[in-house]
Amino acid sequence: MGKKKAMTYANLGVSSQKEDVHAAIKAVDKGLFPSAFCKVIPDIMTGDDSKCLIFHADGAGTKSILAYLWWKERGDVNAFKGIAQDALVMNVDDIACTGLVSNFTISNTIGRNKLLVPGEVIAAVIDGYQEFVDAMGKLGIAMYLCGGETADVGDLVRTVVVDSTVMARGPRDAIIETSSVVPGDAIVGIASTGKASYEREENSGISSNGITMARHAVLHRDYVAKYPEIVDPAVDKDLAYAGPYHVDDAVPGTSVAVGKALLSPTRTYLPVVKDLLSKFATAKELKSSIHGLVHATGGGMTKCGRFGSGVSYVKDDLFEVPPVFAMIQSAGKVAWDEMYKVFNMGHRLEVMCVPSFAEEVISAARRLGISAKVIGRVEKAAPGAGNAVIVRSRGRVFKYRSE
Amino acid sequence: MGKKKAMTYANLGVSSQKEDVHAAIKAVDKGLFPSAFCKVIPDIMTGDDSKCLIFHADGAGTKSILAYLWWKERGDVNAFKGIAQDALVMNVDDIACTGLVSNFTISNTIGRNKLLVPGEVIAAVIDGYQEFVDAMGKLGIAMYLCGGETADVGDLVRTVVVDSTVMARGPRDAIIETSSVVPGDAIVGIASTGKASYEREENSGISSNGITMARHAVLHRDYVAKYPEIVDPAVDKDLAYAGPYHVDDAVPGTSVAVGKALLSPTRTYLPVVKDLLSKFATAKELKSSIHGLVHATGGGMTKCGRFGSGVSYVKDDLFEVPPVFAMIQSAGKVAWDEMYKVFNMGHRLEVMCVPSFAEEVISAARRLGISAKVIGRVEKAAPGAGNAVIVRSRGRVFKYRSE
């Protein structure tokens, strides 16, 4: 085998920054708080001027392909339960970053290839939604499954797409505007790995973004021959499932199966954010301590760069790279600057706060069994240069610019 | 060419009745009004006991493949604007059948293969949503675009999936329970063809269901060779795009291009239902005249059979079969009983009402430029036999049973 091509997101047909999508929607109204983490709209359902709505859509992306593979190889359809959690948490944890942490209404959409994906898979997805909603309910976080749609669209969908849409409603004055971050703020990272008190298994740290790269970097092309439905035939043959691993192999340095690690359901940080917000009697007090919450999914460590003005996010004490991400990097020979741009690399929630509040944030996470620490700080950016994200890690410095 | 295989939905990988999906979700809570046309849930957003919510998901299904084909062949990206209307109307017209006809909040989800579907397509879809929402706004029907998600998922999606999710809120006592139909009711059909006063072009009558059959029955396999991304390779080669037509050919008996006719955007009946409901001072009065509204999409003429108890829907004076459906039947040698089960066959809204109110319904439609007529009536079913749908058409009788 010759020199291996480096794997980038662009040559796998994915834009981690979605430049053309942002261009396509640039004329779309930005809502009440353009600098909040999600689009916030007036409460047009009731007309109450003191309230607002967030209507949010996301899904498990191509992680459903991993569940499909695991199910085909191992006969274990329960992997699809985690996919429901993925589709849901990618929504609700975004919404949590605006300060709304309960009363979520949920609709789900499944698009499947009926020739390959039978009713038992649909049932597992639906069960997964119900189990997650029940578990959150026990923690005082109310979520309601309101129904959904399953479409048989084999000419469009190779295997199965699992999406969900979530609406939340709350008082306008509770909304956290992420752009309130200022130079001097501490950045607390809340770990994506380990086992939270409300989880049943260790989490590898992976979420539902970056999965196209993870699949192709890590998994063996044996699977393409066996299941041609798991890949776009237009993807460069040298890059498609060009990895060394099978789903039963262990992730280097661990005893966890590669398939399990890649399928680890996206952790929700809702209990952490709920606990944090409960410390404050008023929204004003809250905002004097917490300046921004960032859910570091698509865009990874660079995602925060979209918020604030004239600021530089300096991250110089990240968590140790979790084994699942080290495996992806090494197997795909992915450049480190690309890794930080695509994956969360150890923490998926960032709390930008006054430095004196950092210890409270760390304690809140630890009480729920999750590691947390100050991973960096907000500095003033060079004049006229827009925002920057600077990652110092592994003896190197990675600089990213945002408009 | 030998004897042509008859085309059925089952052998194309689509279940028009979705038996396995209904089995998968049978344990799911049915909401406040199990016999309403959509699932209706308590107003958990505000806790107001007099109000309710509907959270509804649907999409353009494989009609987006037709837009893709038209765009590739003709360079006209505007076909994707109609796809946005399709994705939206498949939702809002279902909701209208519960009696809620305004104040819709909308979220959209697009899943695309980025290697094939560039930003200009996404922009056309977003523009299409905006144009439709603006047009409805001029008729006093309020809709709000609340944002959405575009995912690059080429390993899952061959071309592009366009879905939307809609929430509506209204008073509980306004909800029409479709199961209120009784023997003796008239069935008024509101035409799916022609040009309504609020439309810019003649509508062929097609909606966003049955499109898998329409594509394969009508279009020529030249397109498979040219665009292999428009078909699931697992579909029977004898059935895939086994039709005689190219997109520029005229639909027999018309001067309309086949591509245009198949892409005709799903008509909304919102203005008709809004006008009908406005005739009543109270919900009680309304329900004494209108017993049920049925949006005849998936399941076609048989869809009404799911509602009511011990009733037989006798449809013996349907509209003349519109040319687009006649073309599909003839090109695919589709059995007529299958045609009535998959397509609307000339009317896509059914109003079940006391016979004395039928003339009012017909007038309401005609004022908006749409044909309408009594197409049948509700009778008592044979004891113990469940519901039935009986279509008498073209000198034949087609009987369908529902549980």
Side-chain angles (χ1 to χ4, degrees), chain B residues 26 75 104 150 228 275 322 357 392:
Chain B
K26 71 175 183 295
F104 299 107
T150 297
D275 186 69
F357 190 68
R392 289 204 184 93

Short mmCIF file of all heavy atoms in Angstrom, two decimals, chain B residues 26 75 104 150 228 275 322 357 392:
data_model
loop_
_atom_site.label_atom_id
_atom_site.label_comp_id
_atom_site.label_asym_id
_atom_site.label_seq_id
_atom_site.Cartn_x
_atom_site.Cartn_y
_atom_site.Cartn_z
N LYS B 26 -47.24 1.55 17.80
CA LYS B 26 -48.59 1.31 18.34
C LYS B 26 -48.71 1.63 19.83
O LYS B 26 -49.78 1.95 20.33
CB LYS B 26 -49.09 -0.09 18.01
CG LYS B 26 -48.41 -1.22 18.73
CD LYS B 26 -49.11 -2.55 18.36
CE LYS B 26 -48.51 -3.71 19.14
NZ LYS B 26 -47.08 -3.98 18.81
N GLY B 75 -31.41 23.08 -16.42
CA GLY B 75 -30.66 24.18 -15.83
C GLY B 75 -31.53 25.13 -15.01
O GLY B 75 -31.10 26.24 -14.67
N PHE B 104 -48.97 29.10 11.92
CA PHE B 104 -48.10 27.94 11.81
C PHE B 104 -46.64 28.36 12.01
O PHE B 104 -46.19 29.31 11.37
CB PHE B 104 -48.22 27.29 10.43
CG PHE B 104 -49.61 26.79 10.12
CD1 PHE B 104 -50.41 27.45 9.20
CD2 PHE B 104 -50.10 25.65 10.74
CE1 PHE B 104 -51.68 26.98 8.90
CE2 PHE B 104 -51.38 25.18 10.44
CZ PHE B 104 -52.17 25.85 9.53
N THR B 150 -29.27 22.36 7.56
CA THR B 150 -28.85 21.68 6.33
C THR B 150 -27.66 20.80 6.68
O THR B 150 -26.65 21.29 7.19
CB THR B 150 -28.46 22.69 5.24
OG1 THR B 150 -29.62 23.47 4.91
CG2 THR B 150 -27.98 21.98 3.99
N PRO B 228 -27.11 8.06 -12.22
CA PRO B 228 -27.35 6.86 -11.39
C PRO B 228 -27.78 7.20 -9.96
O PRO B 228 -28.35 6.36 -9.28
CB PRO B 228 -26.00 6.14 -11.41
CG PRO B 228 -25.01 7.12 -11.94
CD PRO B 228 -25.76 8.10 -12.78
N ASP B 275 -61.99 29.57 4.77
CA ASP B 275 -63.25 30.17 4.37
C ASP B 275 -64.44 29.38 4.92
O ASP B 275 -65.41 29.95 5.43
CB ASP B 275 -63.31 30.24 2.84
CG ASP B 275 -64.53 30.99 2.35
OD1 ASP B 275 -64.56 32.21 2.56
OD2 ASP B 275 -65.45 30.36 1.80
N PRO B 322 -57.48 12.81 -13.76
CA PRO B 322 -56.64 13.84 -14.39
C PRO B 322 -55.56 13.21 -15.27
O PRO B 322 -55.09 12.11 -14.99
CB PRO B 322 -56.00 14.55 -13.18
CG PRO B 322 -56.94 14.28 -12.03
CD PRO B 322 -57.45 12.89 -12.29
N PHE B 357 -75.33 20.77 3.85
CA PHE B 357 -74.22 21.73 3.87
C PHE B 357 -73.32 21.57 2.64
O PHE B 357 -72.45 22.41 2.38
CB PHE B 357 -73.42 21.55 5.17
CG PHE B 357 -72.41 22.64 5.40
CD1 PHE B 357 -72.80 23.95 5.69
CD2 PHE B 357 -71.04 22.37 5.33
CE1 PHE B 357 -71.86 24.95 5.89
CE2 PHE B 357 -70.09 23.38 5.55
CZ PHE B 357 -70.52 24.66 5.82
N ARG B 392 -66.56 3.28 -6.88
CA ARG B 392 -67.20 2.84 -8.13
C ARG B 392 -66.77 3.80 -9.21
O ARG B 392 -67.06 4.99 -9.17
CB ARG B 392 -68.73 2.89 -8.01
CG ARG B 392 -69.31 1.84 -7.12
CD ARG B 392 -70.78 1.52 -7.46
NE ARG B 392 -71.28 0.56 -6.47
CZ ARG B 392 -71.92 0.92 -5.35
NH1 ARG B 392 -72.17 2.19 -5.09
NH2 ARG B 392 -72.31 0.00 -4.49
#
